[in-house]
């Protein structure tokens, strides 16, 4: 085993950059994915059948196909030219980000829907009986209560997304797995490069899931008092 | 007819599963009166109450509130709902909001009141229901009786013209029923127009101005408490009252 590349500042910076890109991608995906999911869940709960059907189909198709395949399709669909920002080509990011957003929105929409459905129907009747509109009742009464049910799943989705960002190496996004493969081809330390990547992924996901479990316990306690 | 706050005209309610909850019901709710709806469970009392503010949409028939047909198409129901306070069997306080916020969320959101105005009124109402010291508490820190008193105050915060009570004491432990009935009693004494679905015959006798007896989705008898409780004409009314009094 030869981990000497870890001492080289050049490789250190590659790994750190990769870690940073991975983290930013996962954060963006969970944030935007959840916003999209909220819209999807609202449409799904509405009484307008054709739109409802489209949303259900979208969710099922996205959840039923591998993310790598989605990425490749998205990549060839968009076929973006090189776009330089600060000498940095962002064109591979766009299909990658789209794929992540779409993916996380499909998974989160089910979670959001279940979270909203778990709020007692009486809560919305109480809101409506006070003269609040349907939208006001949703924003002020239902959603704040639903978020409590959604939050734990949101943490899980974040952990999942940290790992799933690795597929973006196929579209040339310099995230962690991509950097590991670069180091591998330069140092020929095949296993070592990926072992380091694995440790770094775990260093992100493990504390995140522990933190979420802690928050969940605290919320339960606050409920019980 | 200016004395009628609500007029129900020949409403029928058939649920999706085919059960007929209301069958050709007509009723007048008179201003400043306490109308009490009684009857065996499953008789349609709660459904009737819920059609008054259209939480339940009647399958046919009309509901007039202060002269407006609530069942007409394109009507802004929210404008009318804010004038009809409702108190539920299950309280339904908003658990994520403090007591004070429970009381002010609707006045601020719907009536666009300033927070100061809403808070001032909320404090007065909390005093009225005897729970001033709870304004910073959250619903899960309150007893059932306290929750229901807060729920009444919350409905009153919108300064409604009529208050609807859907079995307000049915989910309460017996020792907490009194405190809620006291609040309702003082409301009745202030001349609030009230429609109450209840199993509390004591309250009905003492404070009801008009008693409505329902059975199988129909109003089978209505009148003053004296007539209904002392000389009911309908056989099923007699039977129902006998059963209720035996239980008590």
């Amino acid at each position: 085993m030869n981990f000497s590349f870890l001492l080289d500042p050049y490789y250190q910076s590659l790994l750190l950059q990769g870690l940073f890109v991975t983290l930013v991608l996962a954060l963006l995906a969970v944030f935007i994915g959840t916003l999209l999911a909220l819209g999807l869940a609202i449409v799904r709960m509405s009484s307008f059948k054709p739109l409802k059907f489209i949303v259900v189909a979208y969710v099922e198709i996205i959840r039923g196909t591998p993310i790598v395949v989605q990425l490749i399709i998205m990549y060839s669909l968009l076929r973006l030219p090189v776009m330089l920002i600060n000498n940095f080509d962002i064109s591979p990011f766009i299909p990658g980000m789209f794929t992540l957003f779409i993916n996380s929105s499909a998974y989160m929409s089910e979670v959001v829907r279940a979270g909203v459905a778990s709020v007692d129907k009486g809560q919305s009747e109480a809101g409506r009986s006070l003269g609040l509109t349907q939208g006001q009742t949703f924003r002020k009464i239902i959603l704040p209560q639903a978020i409590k049910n959604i939050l734990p799943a949101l943490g899980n989705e974040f952990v999942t997304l940290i790992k799933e960002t690795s597929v973006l190496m196929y579209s040339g996004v310099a995230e962690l797995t991509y950097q590991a493969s670069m180091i591998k081809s330069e140092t020929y330390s095949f296993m070592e490069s990926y072992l380091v990547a694995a440790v770094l992924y775990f260093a992100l996901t493990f504390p995140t899931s522990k933190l979420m479990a802690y928050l969940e316990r605290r919320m339960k306690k606050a409920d019980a008092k | 007819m200016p004395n009628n706050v609500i007029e129900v005209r020949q409403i029928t309610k058939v649920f999706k599963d085919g059960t007929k909850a209301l069958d050709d019901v007509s009723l007048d709710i008179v201003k400043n009166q306490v109308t009490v709806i009684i009857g065996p469970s499953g008789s349609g009392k709660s459904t009737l109450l819920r059609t008054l503010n259209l939480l339940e949409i009647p399958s046919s028939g009309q509901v007039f509130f202060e002269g407006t047909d609530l069942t007409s198409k394109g009507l802004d129901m929210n404008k009318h709902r804010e004038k009809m306070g409702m108190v539920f069997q299950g309280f339904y306080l908003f658990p994520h909001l403090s007591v004070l916020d429970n009381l002010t969320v609707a006045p601020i959101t719907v009536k666009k009141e300033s927070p100061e105005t809403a808070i001032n009124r909320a404090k007065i109402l909390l005093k009225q229901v005897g729970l001033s010291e709870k304004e910073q508490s959250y619903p899960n820190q309150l007893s059932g009786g306290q929750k229901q008193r807060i729920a009444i105050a919350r409905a009153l915060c919108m300064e409604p013209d009529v208050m609807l009570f859907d079995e307000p004491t049915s989910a309460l432990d017996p020792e907490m029923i009194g405190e809620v009935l006291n609040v309702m009693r003082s409301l009745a004494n202030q001349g609030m127009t009230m429609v109450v679905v209840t199993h509390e015959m004591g309250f009905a006798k003492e404070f009801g101005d008009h008693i409505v007896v329902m059975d199988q989705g129909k109003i089978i008898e209505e009148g003053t408490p004296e007539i209904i409780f002392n000389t009911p004409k309908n056989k099923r009314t007699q039977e129902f009252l006998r059963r209720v009094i035996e239980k008590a």
Side-chain angles (χ1 to χ4, degrees), chain B residues 99-100 103 121-132 134-135 150 153:
Chain B
V99 164
L100 205 54
L103 268 64
R121 185 176 330 94
K123 286 188 171 173
I124 293 167
L125 286 164
L126 281 177
K127 202 169 173 192
Q128 254 184 53
V129 300
L131 289 170
S132 290
K134 297 289 185 192
E135 62 172 61
I150 298 292

Side-chain angles (χ1 to χ4, degrees), chain A residues 205-219:
Chain A
T205 56
F206 186 67
T208 308
S209 32
K210 283 287 154 206
L211 181 73
M212 289 323 285
Y214 168 76
L215 288 177
E216 210 178 323
R217 271 201 309 278
R218 260 193 46 172
M219 269 190 331

